[in-house]
Amino acid sequence: MIYDVSHLTRYHYDAPVAVNVCVLRLLPRSGDGQRVLAAEVEVTPRPQTLVERADAFANRALNLRIESPHRELTLHSRARVVVERPSPPLAALTPAWEDVAGLAVSAASLDADSPAAAIYPSRVAPLFAAATDYARRSFPPRRPIYEGAAELARRIKADFAYDSRATEVTTSPIEAFAQRRGVCQDFAHVMIAGLRGLGLPALYVSGYIRTISPPGKPRLAGADASHAWTSVWCGPGFGWLGLDPTNAVAAGDDHIVVARGRDYSDVPPVEGLILSSGEHALEVEVDVIPV
């Protein structure tokens, strides 16, 4: 599949902003079964600095600095991406989960694809006993790791209600787990916490998922949204494989990866600081169009 992706973000400020310093993660990455043909971010007002770099997880990060006073900031990311993911592996052929845990804890590399950083608790994906116990039901002794992880994703889909009013971006997975409600960010964090509690490497993936309209209904511009799912390391022979607990599916050709990290705090679309005395309002529109 080839997609044109548009992600428009507008900040409206009550008072003039003197300085705006941000890091943007709005450009899709190549790899993970996809290839970026073209990508750019248009910033208004014009920034004094806009420099791209690769972060610790090989995500495309833009360092942005605006020093001219402004009351509105517009960030418009546009990209064309080819997605050609292979079918998920036969689950029974993946290694036993205990073997994967042992390989992960002994990993010597700290490069972007290493499982080493993905087995420990992180800032917004802490370990907690309830999630570990919940995940353990999907991992009896010697079960193939992908088989167990796929079942865990299906159980989260079945046991948790999607409710956009139940949580906020700052809600911890402990809270989301207790109320069995939340959104894709919460479900990804719950799955990550459960897997790491068993010593299994798991990363948070941010990106987009194509929305397919019901038969006879036109697709709506701006109706697609940012999405999040989980990537599980299945040993050196299989590497990182994506699972989407919100939809109980493997990450496939409808999923477009922007960034991955230990949890959401590693991959927010926009993070930084501003110098201003007022509040702000935020508008976001995302559109994913098959070409």
Side-chain angles (χ1 to χ4, degrees):
M1 292 293 295
I2 302 176
Y3 296 101
D4 281 339
V5 180
S6 171
H7 187 151
L8 180 63
T9 306
R10 288 194 185 95
Y11 291 91
H12 302 274
Y13 304 106
D14 288 343
V17 173
V19 176
N20 202 325
V21 180
C22 298
V23 176
L24 312 179
R25 289 181 180 84
L26 292 167
L27 296 174
R29 54 184 282 163
S30 290
D32 299 307
Q34 67 183 40
R35 179 164 46 95
V36 179
L37 300 181
E40 64 175 1
V41 178
E42 180 182 350
V43 181
T44 307
R46 185 182 180 89
Q48 277 65 45
T49 303
L50 187 63
V51 178
E52 182 174 344
R53 60 178 174 84
D55 69 12
F57 292 94
N59 303 312
R60 301 176 68 181
L62 291 171
N63 290 352
L64 166 71
R65 185 178 183 90
I66 300 173
E67 297 178 352
S68 55
H70 56 282
R71 297 188 67 154
E72 182 174 289
L73 173 65
T74 301
L75 309 167
H76 194 177
S77 170
R78 300 180 183 89
R80 175 163 286 192
V81 185
V82 179
V83 184
E84 298 175 307
R85 288 200 175 84
S87 299
L90 291 174
L93 298 181
T94 59
W97 69 269
E98 299 96 331
D99 295 342
V100 172
L103 289 168
V105 78
S106 62
S109 171
L110 290 177
D111 66 22
D113 284 325
S114 172
I119 57 177
Y120 300 105
S122 53
R123 186 173 9 158
V124 294
L127 302 186
F128 57 104
T132 302
D133 292 342
Y134 181 84
R136 198 183 307 278
R137 290 171 46 197
S138 293
F139 291 93
R142 308 306 298 171
R143 189 175 197 183
I145 183 171
Y146 189 79
E147 188 175 276
E151 182 188 283
L152 176 59
R154 292 193 297 269
R155 287 174 51 219
I156 292 173
K157 165 69 173 174
D159 295 344
F160 289 68
Y162 189 95
D163 183 351
S164 60
R165 297 170 297 181
T167 58
E168 300 178 348
V169 70
T170 56
T171 299
S172 78
I174 299 172
E175 187 178 345
F177 184 90
Q179 60 184 356
R180 296 293 203 278
R181 311 183 79 81
V183 295
C184 55
Q185 173 181 305
D186 304 300
F187 305 153
H189 280 150
V190 166
M191 185 169 177
I192 289 167
L195 290 168
R196 289 182 186 165
L198 299 174
L200 298 174
L203 290 176
Y204 181 99
V205 186
S206 70
Y208 312 105
I209 185 170
R210 177 174 61 137
T211 300
I212 301 174
S213 301
K217 298 290 186 180
R219 67 183 311 282
L220 301 177
D224 297 297
S226 296
H227 193 49
W229 58 98
T230 303
S231 189
V232 184
W233 192 70
C234 295
F238 293 88
W240 293 96
L241 298 174
L243 286 164
D244 181 350
T246 303
N247 298 291
V249 296
D253 287 353
D254 289 335
H255 293 76
I256 301 167
V257 177
V258 173
R260 65 183 187 181
R262 293 164 298 178
D263 56 41
Y264 174 80
S265 69
D266 281 339
V267 299
V270 183
E271 64 174 335
L273 61 88
I274 63 171
L275 295 181
S276 179
S277 59
E279 300 292 327
H280 75 270
L282 173 64
E283 300 174 29
V284 177
E285 295 177 12
V286 173
D287 204 22
V288 178
I289 304 171
V291 177

